Amino acid sequence: MTGIRLTAPAPGWAIDADVVVVGSGVAGLTTALRCAAAGLTTVVVTKARLDDGSTRWAQGGIAAALGEGDTPEQHLDDTLVAGAGLCDETAVRDLVTEGPDAVRRLIDTGAHFDTTDTGAIALTREGGHHRRRIAHAGGDATGAEISRALVEAVRSAALRIIENALVLDLLYDAEGRTEGVTLHVMGEGQHDGVGAVHAPAVVLATGGMGQVFSATTNPPVSTGDGVALALRAGAEVSDLEFVQFHPTVLFLGADSEGQQPLVSEAVRGEGAHLVDASGTRFMLGQHELAELAPRDIVAKAITRQMHIQGTEHMYLDARHFGAAMWEQRFPTILAACRAHGIDPVTEPIPVAPAAHYASGGVRTDLRGRTTVPGLYACGEVACTGVHGANRLASNSLLEGLVFAERIAADIVDGPRTESGAASRRTLVADPAGARTVALLTAESRTAIQRIMTRGAGVIRSAGSLGTAAEGLEALRRAAAAAEADGPKDAVPGVEAWEATNLLLVSQVLVAAAREREETRGCHWREDRPERDDDAWRRHLVVRVDQDLRPVVRTTDTSAFPPVRPGDPADSALPAGLPNHPADAPEEP
């Protein structure tokens, strides 16, 4: 417990619960539904509307060994290869073996996936998968369908929901255990302004942090709030340097900023080709799967071709699909392209990599527990060890499902509390030595994004990362100086809190990226172009000190240490299971 908090008014209202879930994507709503079904009083807090999280933007689908001839073992193999030697094999094995039944339970909840003429779930391929194992809905609207089903289930279950609420900081009891969160509700509603939800179990399911970069596929709400809260609370994060840049994002111009339209990997899974301006396929010979190589390899190949040819983008050619296939299989992507003046039926789509997914996050064990007692993390905000150095396509929705169920089980199996018990325990509003963070102005958000894009984007180096670190530190010092000088330029509010969160997660990401002096997965150091298993087949674990400065340590092996002293390491393989050669050479 650091006792560091965002500058904010004291809570003016409070409610009690057994569990508070922060986030309304597949991870958050699945956790909430399972906890509520077990009789726990559960509150869902979400930053926008209930159905506005990152899940609804997922196009491709959800990966699971559901097809004839496919097995969890094959899914495990593909995941380990994509993760470039840093996956926690036990976590991956849990994911792939529990995944098929978790998807079936999602269907029972009301999600409708596309089916074949025989009624079986229709499956496609994406990058890094050797089999068709991607279930999809509405052609390319899988996330929207999953979100719809879970939102309907949550509303039917009459869970308490607080929408348009930005979570601020963790609350503690006198022993340092989690006792809920403070939050700010925006606009009119039953509650307004800063308040608190008192609960002995807090589940962070806040999604990603793509907004640290100028161009991203993430929605505007993805400002790393969960990671920043966890860091201020004293939790550890891991593998934050591994930011996945999606290879095929619709190119809208070199100066385009904010959320960019994604062109799903499933388009390549159905046979689209990556080409340059002359129509030459450049992925042939670079990987056995060509356009369906793991995402980091495709993103690097596109970036490399752009540099060689002096262009700002490459092209995705799927004209051979024809109008009918585009309209039936990829209606969302077709509409997005046409809205920007591109018709994929008659012309190639200009594409370039953009920030997409954080493979790292708040470090957890296989029950979703963080290093802070009572605080859990699930989904993109978490680092379970499943993704390693590079997430395998469409494993993210599955991870959210599987580990949400594990978190709910751990909370339900733990010490039961009566509803409202939190209000009868001794809350510590201001821990000893507590202090607040100097807030940044709203305008700092753009400055952070440009610093990160230039210095910590697809291609990095010691020089670019050092420049990024200096630029971020200058922003921090300017905010501290402005606060010390008297009247504050940045007043407490959503934009200032978001910018302050973005700065913290950016500084931690850059610190980890500077430390990892190799190229691995989606961390590409042009000054250290080779993968170095002897020195770097291990994880970087980061916490912050009392000045919010990153403190980085390196694990002794590729296994994660326990999150609780005295616990056995989750990553130890059970007896009798094969140890896969996760240190196999990375593909060129």
Side-chain angles (χ1 to χ4, degrees), residues 226-503:
V227 172
L229 176 151
L231 284 165
R232 287 194 298 272
E236 294 180 343
V237 303
S238 187
D239 299 351
L240 220 59
E241 68 271 29
F242 297 118
V243 177
Q244 188 175 79
F245 285 75
H246 197 288
T248 53
V249 175
L250 182 62
F251 181 75
L252 301 180
D255 297 326
S256 181
E257 295 181 339
Q259 186 177 9
Q260 311 288 299
L262 177 67
V263 181
S264 170
E265 199 147 328
V267 177
R268 281 176 280 139
E270 296 292 352
H273 302 145
L274 282 166
V275 299
D276 61 17
S278 68
T280 301
R281 291 178 64 185
F282 54 85
M283 285 303 301
L284 295 175
Q286 297 209 35
H287 189 276
E288 60 167 338
L289 296 176
E291 280 88 358
L292 286 177
R295 287 180 177 175
D296 61 313
I297 295 172
V298 180
K300 290 172 187 175
I302 291 174
T303 304
R304 191 178 292 117
Q305 287 298 314
M306 287 162 51
H307 284 188
I308 291 172
Q309 299 184 17
T311 60
E312 297 175 327
H313 61 82
M314 289 287 114
Y315 293 91
L316 187 64
D317 192 353
R319 290 174 289 180
H320 54 285
F321 285 6
M325 181 174 175
W326 267 110
E327 291 165 0
Q328 295 169 14
R329 181 68 178 85
F330 301 110
T332 306
I333 299 170
L334 178 63
C337 289
R338 285 177 170 170
H340 291 282
I342 304 295
D343 188 351
V345 177
T346 60
E347 59 187 317
I349 306 168
V351 293
H356 181 58
Y357 190 89
S359 293
V362 184
R363 190 167 77 84
T364 75
D365 62 13
L366 299 185
R367 289 178 278 176
R369 302 182 305 171
T370 73
T371 51
V372 174
L375 180 66
Y376 296 80
C378 190
E380 189 173 356
V381 71
C383 181
T384 62
V386 159
H387 304 307
N390 179 56
R391 174 178 68 96
L392 180 65
S394 288
N395 267 357
S396 51
L397 292 175
L398 189 70
E399 183 195 34
L401 273 182
V402 169
F403 285 89
E405 293 184 341
R406 284 174 157 257
I407 286 173
D410 190 74
I411 294 172
V412 171
D413 292 342
R416 293 297 297 268
T417 62
E418 298 177 9
S419 295
S423 64
R424 293 189 290 274
R425 298 172 67 174
T426 303
L427 289 173
V428 180
D430 294 302
R435 63 183 185 82
T436 56
V437 181
L439 298 180
L440 274 69
T441 62
E443 293 75 21
S444 300
R445 178 172 179 149
T446 300
I448 293 167
Q449 291 170 334
R450 292 176 178 173
I451 289 169
M452 291 296 290
T453 298
R454 288 193 298 266
V458 179
I459 304 177
R460 306 162 177 176
S461 68
S464 74
L465 290 166
T467 300
E470 291 172 0
L472 296 172
E473 177 63 13
L475 290 175
R476 187 195 69 80
R477 288 180 177 174
E483 183 178 71
D485 286 344
K488 297 178 176 61
D489 293 329
V491 297
V494 173
E495 292 181 335
W497 290 323
E498 286 184 332
T500 305
N501 285 339
L502 284 172
L503 178 64

Side-chain angles (χ1 to χ4, degrees), residues 25 113 124 177 198 326 477 493:
F113 290 96
T124 189
R177 274 194 56 88
H198 297 158
W326 267 110
R477 288 180 177 174

